[in-house]
Amino acid sequence: MNSSRRSFLQKGAIALGAAAFTSSTWEALANAKAKKIVGVQLYSIREDMKADPMGTLTKLAEMGYKYVEHANYVNRKFYGWSAQEFRKRLDGLGMKMPSGHTVMGKQHWDESKKEFTDLWKYTVEDAAVCGQEIVISPSLDKLIRTSSSLFKTYMDVFNKSGELCQKSGMRFGYHNHDFEFSEKLDGVTLFDLIMENTDSKLVAQQLDIGNMINGGGIPADILKKYPGRFVSMHVKDEIAAAPGHGEKYESTILGTGIISVLDMVKLGEKKGGTKHFIIEQESYQGKKPIDCVKEDLEIMKKWGYVS
């Protein structure tokens, strides 16, 4: 819960004084807090964003997207704009950015001082300026994945990042790829190690239901195994990859692949605690990426999930 909302609830409680909240009042508050959002990961249209970021964002807004998730933060700039400039442009289009991807790596943690470097502090600060709810790291350095003790130690850094983000009314989050399900340390998958060694109050999980199947993960099993842990989901479908792709599966238009996407979205909502549904498509089977994300949004609307 962000600080402004917490303040609102506290002031509301004082104003009501001794009057008891009715069950319908509590339900209304709970529903407001649990509002679902449907957005798009801008990596889906990475070349369009590189060539014409403002024009591309405008097209997304015209399609009906109200939420985006960034995948480009370099030298304190999002797609070439400062945090303040990017926020202004999103506001002008009636859009919000509840989350974003920036890999938290070795350069962000000073092991000798046991604290974050300015690089990560700036990352969190700029995310807050943009209005993010979650600061998401979408990968893990290979060196960290070489020993169980080192891995668990780094999970404590995850928790500390959660504490840092919490000071700005946000949460830290992690986004999986495939290796978390295929790699093990002392017989335990990396994903299980992440879940077992992070504080759910500090570290949110963004489950990519497409990435994981390349590592042997089964979305439904994970959602059931760790109920309430997945505030965000990358909504993605997969098909057998074309030759030369490098992986067994590649992403495709929602509802046309091998994943029961609608069932996973419903399960995420029911069991996973999922509130953010972020569309991502990275392969296009000959279609234009911008046309794909438009089609994906229309499918989510047809399923009853409106952005």
Side-chain angles (χ1 to χ4, degrees):
M1 183 186 296
N2 61 38
S3 59
S4 61
R5 181 163 180 78
R6 186 181 296 110
S7 176
F8 167 78
L9 292 177
Q10 289 171 342
K11 290 177 181 177
I14 293 170
L16 285 168
F21 273 175
T22 65
S23 59
S24 60
T25 304
W26 283 116
E27 184 177 352
L29 287 171
N31 289 339
K33 180 182 176 182
K35 179 184 176 184
K36 297 187 295 291
I37 69 168
V38 174
V40 62
Q41 166 54 252
L42 294 176
Y43 187 75
S44 305
I45 43 172
R46 50 199 175 275
E47 295 303 323
D48 299 85
M49 286 297 295
K50 184 178 179 180
D52 182 10
M54 192 62 206
T56 302
L57 290 171
T58 300
K59 287 179 182 178
L60 292 175
E62 290 171 348
M63 289 176 195
Y65 278 107
K66 296 179 182 178
Y67 301 95
V68 298
E69 181 178 80
H70 82 77
N72 184 286
Y73 176 76
V74 182
N75 296 326
R76 298 200 71 178
K77 291 188 175 182
F78 300 89
Y79 303 96
W81 295 305
S82 69
Q84 292 86 349
E85 290 170 335
F86 193 38
R87 174 71 180 267
K88 183 178 179 179
R89 291 172 190 272
L90 290 177
D91 287 346
L93 292 169
M95 304 176 87
K96 297 181 183 299
M97 188 167 68
S99 55
H101 282 196
T102 304
V103 176
M104 186 174 72
K106 292 182 294 183
Q107 72 274 26
H108 295 121
W109 176 254
D110 188 327
E111 181 61 29
S112 63
K113 295 180 180 179
K114 301 295 181 183
E115 68 176 40
F116 292 103
T117 65
D118 286 344
L119 282 175
W120 191 248
K121 291 175 183 178
Y122 290 148
T123 300
V124 173
E125 179 183 322
D126 290 339
V129 169
C130 284
Q132 288 181 212
E133 298 175 26
I134 317 173
V135 180
I136 299 174
S137 180
S139 192
L140 277 168
D141 190 282
K142 286 186 177 181
L143 292 176
I144 297 167
R145 293 145 50 186
T146 57
S147 92
S148 181
S149 60
L150 183 60
F151 195 91
K152 290 178 181 179
T153 297
Y154 201 69
M155 288 304 99
D156 191 46
V157 176
F158 270 30
N159 289 325
K160 286 181 170 60
S161 182
E163 292 172 351
L164 178 65
C165 290
Q166 203 171 62
K167 293 175 182 178
S168 296
M170 301 182 294
R171 294 172 76 184
F172 177 66
Y174 183 73
H175 167 91
N176 67 276
H177 280 80
D178 56 356
F179 64 82
E180 297 89 346
F181 300 91
S182 60
E183 295 181 18
K184 294 183 178 181
L185 291 171
D186 296 335
V188 183
T189 66
L190 299 188
F191 194 79
D192 284 331
L193 285 173
I194 291 169
M195 300 302 281
E196 292 167 4
N197 292 279
T198 54
D199 185 338
S200 61
K201 295 183 180 66
L202 299 171
V203 182
Q205 298 296 327
Q206 182 180 67
L207 188 68
D208 189 310
I209 62 174
N211 284 349
M212 64 190 299
I213 69 169
N214 271 302
I218 301 173
D221 289 354
I222 295 299
L223 285 164
K224 292 173 183 176
K225 184 175 183 178
Y226 297 106
R229 296 289 298 271
F230 305 100
V231 66
S232 184
M233 175 186 290
H234 262 203
V235 182
K236 188 183 290 184
D237 210 343
E238 301 279 327
I239 58 172
H245 182 74
E247 294 178 312
K248 186 176 181 180
Y249 301 103
E250 64 178 53
S251 56
T252 190
I253 297 291
L254 298 180
T256 65
I258 64 172
I259 297 176
S260 299
V261 180
L262 178 56
D263 289 340
M264 294 306 99
V265 168
K266 289 180 176 178
L267 186 60
E269 189 175 8
K270 182 179 179 180
K271 292 282 290 186
T274 310
K275 306 296 185 295
H276 296 191
F277 297 92
I278 309 299
I279 293 166
E280 184 179 41
Q281 188 174 337
E282 301 162 281
S283 300
Y284 317 100
Q285 295 82 50
K287 296 183 177 181
K288 292 181 178 179
I290 196 73
D291 293 336
C292 288
V293 296
K294 181 178 182 180
E295 193 172 345
D296 289 329
L297 181 62
E298 290 303 316
I299 290 167
M300 288 294 283
K301 286 181 178 179
K302 185 179 69 174
W303 288 343
Y305 291 81
V306 182
S307 63

